[in-house]
Amino acid sequence: MKILIVDDSSIIRKIIKRSIVEDKFELVGIAGNGLKALELFKEHLPSIVTLDITMPEMDGLTVLEEMLKIKADVKVIVISALTDKATGIKAIKNGAKSFIPKPFSTEDVQNKIIKLAETV
């Protein structure tokens, strides 16, 4: 199952990458901004994406909208430092399947990825 990681923080990208431990997952790309994320998404069509909201070039909610136009069944986990409830609700209303506020643990991400993988 293909996974794409999108976050503007290299530290956060590394933490998320460490949470992808099961053999059934294939990391197909890591992007630090919205435009690169869409480029990698179109190239690999991953089943699961971890997506930051606040990023350079294009924000995560816009990236989410574009990804859903390309592949409507993609499972997106929004991971954001914007921890207010309204941000999480907006992400879910826009099509994200899950929301994880920062800071988070590798177990948080791992559990969400495994749970979403069961629905693919």
Side-chain angles (χ1 to χ4, degrees):
M1 188 168 304
K2 296 178 183 177
I3 296 181
L4 173 66
I5 296 172
V6 184
D7 201 295
D8 63 340
S9 165
S10 62
I11 294 169
I12 297 296
R13 292 192 303 264
K14 287 177 185 173
I15 292 170
I16 295 170
K17 185 178 177 183
R18 282 198 306 255
S19 68
I20 302 171
V21 293
E22 292 195 15
D23 290 340
K24 65 182 176 184
F25 299 119
E26 174 191 0
L27 181 60
V28 295
I30 298 175
N33 67 64
L35 290 179
K36 182 68 176 176
L38 277 181
E39 180 184 315
L40 289 171
F41 185 82
K42 289 174 185 173
E43 182 179 341
H44 298 287
L45 297 175
S47 299
I48 297 175
V49 177
T50 68
L51 180 64
D52 190 11
I53 291 179
T54 307
M55 296 186 295
E57 307 293 334
M58 182 184 289
D59 70 87
L61 293 177
T62 303
V63 173
L64 172 63
E65 184 179 322
E66 293 300 314
M67 286 179 174
L68 289 170
K69 287 179 188 173
I70 296 166
K71 185 176 179 184
D73 64 344
V74 63
K75 310 295 185 197
V76 177
I77 302 169
V78 171
I79 301 175
S80 178
L82 301 173
T83 59
D84 61 285
K85 277 189 174 181
T87 301
I89 290 169
K90 185 172 184 178
I92 298 296
K93 280 186 176 177
N94 286 6
K97 296 299 178 193
S98 188
F99 178 80
I100 300 173
K102 295 177 184 174
F104 59 87
S105 68
T106 55
E107 291 80 20
D108 291 337
V109 177
Q110 200 172 48
N111 290 337
K112 294 284 186 182
I113 290 173
I114 290 169
K115 188 174 178 179
L116 282 182
E118 292 171 354
T119 66
V120 173

